[in-house]
């Protein structure tokens, strides 16, 4: 009897020939790029440095496309977006010490958003590993320790023979649910030394599947089938698992209203009769979800933002499907199902009974009406018009990447993403500077569609150097910079909390002139011309900048719980 695990892949004649007669002049760096190509990588991001030169020299002997950014953190954001758009592990090549550490914030965002990034860093020579006393440039006592609390897995290489297996293991880790960033580090001398190891000609590393336990999905299906008022919260795990169609099928079979989290934008059609959209910072939505007798949470840990700042207190039975074991039942007791969202939804579709509730849309509409009435009472016409102009100008299937800025905070709740995996923001970890470099990564992933980046003037200064990257590679990104003179959301927070703001006002450059100095077209817009200016920029190939001088305000969130015997609205924030 032959078992699957007994099967051995035999080399082809071409592979045997390549193994017996490797070309001269190859180094450990070649093993890196050969392994990446063998695994299916086509594009790598990064920034060279002294200890990493062996990897970068090998790039010129490979067919891999290299996109070099100007700051390691921005290169990490670009790789993050590439991974989100393609679903592939995005290689990120970095140098040692300062270069490696500068990427940490980007890797934290990738971890929070479950974006598959394969970071490969150089290290000091083998003799300096673990010591911190040899005086090598960039030396750290334990470089990997800085990453263990951020990435999914860490792989330290000490010999050339370890390179292919270490990178393949990291690739598999990055793409196993939940997706996430991984870290590989290779010493300088291992990268530079000539190698007699055969050319890496294969490298399949299939991600491990994470199916649900059948007894749990059977119970979940029974609970949902018999529910009187079921509801669904769809998180980013639905998007990462490419499970939006299955989610819609299940919601329609159950007649269950659906709310998408900020990370799950686009997982459910915005205008669907069962859609409660994404107004998670609104007490009306929170109350509705609390009233559900069975609440299905798919691909969300119900963290701070998804739980209306931990005020959400469900009274019914909660079923939570989550690929990250650490997030399962971490905030609320539930029937916890540790599984990939796609596989779990498929299991429910095969098991759940048909449930008909023609009143479900009638319960959704008045909730959304109350949300709209609350927003309308706050005199926020400018903000709504600006967001609507962005939506009209952006082609339906074009992705958008949002920095941590007031317009993005609006977009989390009020922007129709139109399709899954098209709206992305840094709300996972919440660092500034994400929008523009991430958009560059998305443009590299799919050059057939223009990409929009949205930043405030404060966040823009984090990534302004990447205008050079956009110009160098001709990446089709339109960058909307909302210039309000400082850190707008922090200004609001501080004014509300302390009566006045400190350290929030900024001296800024002339962004239009600065863009043009990079050879990137720029235009100063206004709320009245924004739609036309954006549409023109998005229709023009290559990078462009649109600057909107405007002071936008946030809508008032509503976190406080209402008394259990009343559903009257409490507008205090």
């Amino acid at each position: 009897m032959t078992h699957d695990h007994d099967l051995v892949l035999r080399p082809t004649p071409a592979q045997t020939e390549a193994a017996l007669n490797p070309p001269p002049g190859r180094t450990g760096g070649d093993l890196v790029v050969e392994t990446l190509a063998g695994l299916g990588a086509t594009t790598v991001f990064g920034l060279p440095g002294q200890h990493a030169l062996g990897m970068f020299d090998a790039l010129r002997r490979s067919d891999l496309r290299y996109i070099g950014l100007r700051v390691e953190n921005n290169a990490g954001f670009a790789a993050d977006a590439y991974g989100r758009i393609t679903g592939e592990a995005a290689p990120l090549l970095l140098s040692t010490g300062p270069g490696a550490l500068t990427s940490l914030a980007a890797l934290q965002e990738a971890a929070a958003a479950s974006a598959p990034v394969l970071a490969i860093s150089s290290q000091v020579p083998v003799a300096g590993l673990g010591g911190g006393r040899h005086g090598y440039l960039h030396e750290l006592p334990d470089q990997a320790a800085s990453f263990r609390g951020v990435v999914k897995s860490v792989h330290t290489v000490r010999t050339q023979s370890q390179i292919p297996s270490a990178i393949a293991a990291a690739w598999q880790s990055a793409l196993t649910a939940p997706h996430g960033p991984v870290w590989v580090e290779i010493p300088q001398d291992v990268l530079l030394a000539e190698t007699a190891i055969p050319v890496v000609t294969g490298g399949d590393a299939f991600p491990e599947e994470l199916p649900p336990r059948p007894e749990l999905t059977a119970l979940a299906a029974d609970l949902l089938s018999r529910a009187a008022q079921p509801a669904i919260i769809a998180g980013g795990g639905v998007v990462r698992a490419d499970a939006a169609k299955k989610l819609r099928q299940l919601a329609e079979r159950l007649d269950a209203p659906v709310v998408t989290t900020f990370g799950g934008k686009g997982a459910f059609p915005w205008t669907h009769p069962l859609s409660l959209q994404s107004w998670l910072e609104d007490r009306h939505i929170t109350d509705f979800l609390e009233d559900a007798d069975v609440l299905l949470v798919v691909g969300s840990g119900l963290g701070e933002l998804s739980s209306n700042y931990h005020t959400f207190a469900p009274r019914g039975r909660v079923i939570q499907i989550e690929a990250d074991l650490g997030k399962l039942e971490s905030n609320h007791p539930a029937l916890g199902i540790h599984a990939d969202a796609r596989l779990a939804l498929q299991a429910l579709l095969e098991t759940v009974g048909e449930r008909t509730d023609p009143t479900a849309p009638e319960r959704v509409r008045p909730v959304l009406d109350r949300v709209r009435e609350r927003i309308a009472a706050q005199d926020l016409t400018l903000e709504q018009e600006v967001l609507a102009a962005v939506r009209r100008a952006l082609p339906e299937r074009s992705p958008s990447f949002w920095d941590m800025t007031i317009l993005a905070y609006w977009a989390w709740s009020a922007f129709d993403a139109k399709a899954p995996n098209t709206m992305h923001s840094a709300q996972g970890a919440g660092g500034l500077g994400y929008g523009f470099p991430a958009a560059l990564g998305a443009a590299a992933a799919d050059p057939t569609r223009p990409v929009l980046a949205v930043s405030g003037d404060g966040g823009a200064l984090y990534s302004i150097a990447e205008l050079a990257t956009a110009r160098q590679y001709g990446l089709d990104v339109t960058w909307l910079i909302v210039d309000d003179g400082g850190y707008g959301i922090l200004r609001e927070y501080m004014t509300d909390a302390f009566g006045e703001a400190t350290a929030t006002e900024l001296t800024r450059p002339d962004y239009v002139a600065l863009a043009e100095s990079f050879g990137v077209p720029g235009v100063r817009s206004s709320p009245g011309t924004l739609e036309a200016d954006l549409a023109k920029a998005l229709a023009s190939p290559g990078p462009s900048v649109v600057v909107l001088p405007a002071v936008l305000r946030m809508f008032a969130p509503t976190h406080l719980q209402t008394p259990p015997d009343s559903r009257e609205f409490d507008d205090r924030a």
Side-chain angles (χ1 to χ4, degrees):
M1 180 181 292
T2 301
H3 300 281
D4 288 345
H5 59 264
D6 294 327
L7 297 176
V8 177
L9 294 176
R10 293 180 173 82
T12 65
Q15 289 172 324
T16 300
E17 174 65 22
L20 296 175
N21 298 286
R26 291 168 60 250
T27 65
D30 288 276
L31 294 173
V32 173
V33 298
E34 290 166 6
T35 303
L36 291 173
L39 289 165
T42 58
T43 301
V44 300
F45 300 87
L47 202 72
Q50 177 177 324
H51 293 124
L53 295 181
M55 281 194 295
F56 283 83
D57 177 64
L59 281 174
R60 66 184 173 89
R61 293 187 289 278
S62 81
D63 293 327
L64 293 175
R65 175 177 61 157
Y66 169 67
I67 295 181
L69 286 93
R70 302 310 194 262
V71 183
E72 289 86 353
N73 200 50
N74 294 336
F77 286 143
D80 165 302
Y82 188 95
R84 296 192 199 197
I85 294 295
T86 64
E88 303 168 3
L92 171 64
L93 306 186
L94 301 167
S95 193
T96 320
L101 296 177
T102 302
S103 73
L104 271 169
L107 296 177
Q108 184 190 7
E109 177 57 41
S114 296
V117 175
L118 173 55
I120 304 176
S121 163
S122 59
Q123 250 290 19
V124 297
V126 173
L129 291 181
R133 299 180 299 275
H134 294 268
Y136 290 114
L137 184 70
H138 305 330
E139 185 177 0
L140 290 166
D142 186 357
Q143 178 175 278
S146 298
F147 296 86
R148 286 194 184 97
V150 175
V151 299
K152 283 186 68 178
S153 58
V154 170
H155 310 257
T156 298
V157 167
R158 293 179 179 271
T159 66
Q160 290 182 341
S161 62
Q162 296 175 0
I163 290 175
S165 293
I167 292 177
W171 180 280
Q172 182 182 45
S173 175
L175 290 175
T176 294
H179 294 175
V182 294
W183 183 260
V184 180
E185 55 181 26
I186 308 172
Q188 177 190 29
D189 48 347
V190 175
L191 289 170
L192 289 174
E194 288 199 27
T195 185
I197 294 174
V199 174
V200 182
T201 55
D204 287 339
F206 298 107
E208 298 176 9
E209 289 198 333
L210 188 59
R213 297 188 63 84
E215 69 274 14
L216 296 179
T217 53
L219 177 54
D222 180 67
L223 291 169
L224 289 165
S225 300
R226 293 188 296 106
Q229 289 189 166
I232 299 174
I233 298 177
V238 177
V239 176
R240 296 281 78 75
D242 192 21
K245 289 182 179 178
K246 295 185 184 300
L247 172 70
R248 179 173 181 171
Q249 286 178 308
L250 183 64
E252 290 176 344
R253 185 172 299 180
L254 294 170
D255 272 336
V258 179
V259 176
T260 57
T261 71
F262 303 153
K265 297 283 289 186
F268 195 74
W270 189 256
T271 57
H272 192 285
L274 293 172
S275 176
L276 281 162
Q277 302 178 357
S278 300
W279 291 94
L280 290 169
E281 290 186 82
D282 191 286
R283 193 66 218 174
H284 296 307
I285 298 293
T286 307
D287 290 343
F288 185 95
L289 295 172
E290 288 181 348
D291 285 340
D293 61 335
V294 179
L295 178 66
L296 175 63
V297 182
V298 189
S300 171
L302 291 181
E304 182 180 28
L305 297 181
S306 301
S307 63
N308 203 353
Y309 299 88
H310 296 300
T311 63
F312 173 55
R315 290 184 295 279
R317 188 73 180 268
V318 177
I319 302 166
Q320 185 184 15
I321 297 168
E322 176 56 55
D324 187 337
L325 189 59
K327 293 179 180 177
L328 197 65
E329 295 192 69
S330 61
N331 288 305
H332 297 280
L335 172 63
I337 302 176
H338 182 218
D340 175 79
R342 182 180 182 85
L343 299 178
L345 288 171
Q346 180 60 41
L348 289 176
L349 284 169
E350 293 170 359
T351 316
V352 76
E354 188 93 19
R355 180 188 171 278
T356 303
D357 180 6
T359 68
E362 302 303 321
R363 290 188 291 115
V364 166
R365 277 195 293 272
V367 176
L368 292 178
D369 287 343
R370 287 195 291 272
V371 172
R372 282 189 283 267
E373 288 166 7
R374 183 176 75 84
I375 298 299
Q378 296 182 40
D379 190 23
L380 297 166
T381 303
L382 171 63
E383 290 75 7
Q384 294 179 83
E385 288 179 348
V386 166
L387 193 63
V390 173
R391 180 62 275 176
R392 290 192 300 267
L394 184 66
E396 192 162 300
R397 290 283 171 172
S398 282
S400 58
F401 289 81
W402 304 70
D403 214 336
M404 299 296 285
T405 187
I406 286 179
L407 191 60
Y409 285 36
W410 269 92
W412 292 350
S413 294
F415 191 76
D416 179 1
K418 298 291 185 184
N421 208 28
T422 57
M423 180 182 168
H424 305 271
S425 70
Q427 52 88 204
L432 275 176
Y434 173 80
F436 186 55
L440 298 180
D446 182 3
T448 67
R449 295 185 178 97
V451 182
L452 175 69
V454 180
S455 299
D457 55 291
L461 290 172
Y462 275 65
S463 44
I464 203 76
E466 305 310 337
L467 283 169
T469 302
R471 176 70 173 137
Q472 181 171 346
Y473 298 100
L475 297 171
D476 196 0
V477 175
T478 293
W479 191 8
L480 171 61
I481 300 174
V482 181
D483 185 355
D484 66 0
Y487 300 121
I489 192 66
L490 299 181
R491 181 191 291 138
E492 282 205 11
Y493 288 163
M494 293 191 78
T495 302
D496 289 345
F498 310 117
E500 61 180 291
T502 304
T504 60
E505 307 313 299
L506 299 173
T507 296
R508 296 98 62 211
D510 180 334
Y511 285 105
V512 172
L514 184 58
E516 290 174 344
S517 74
F518 282 94
V520 174
V523 62
R524 185 175 300 276
S525 188
S526 67
T529 62
L530 179 61
E531 180 182 348
D533 291 337
L534 278 179
K536 180 179 179 182
L538 287 161
S540 303
S544 56
V545 171
V546 176
V547 180
L548 176 66
V551 177
L552 305 180
R553 296 186 298 123
M554 267 306 293
F555 58 84
T558 54
H559 311 322
L560 295 186
Q561 291 173 283
T562 53
D565 59 346
S566 170
R567 283 306 183 210
E568 290 301 314
F569 178 60
D570 188 335
D571 195 31
R572 292 172 294 172

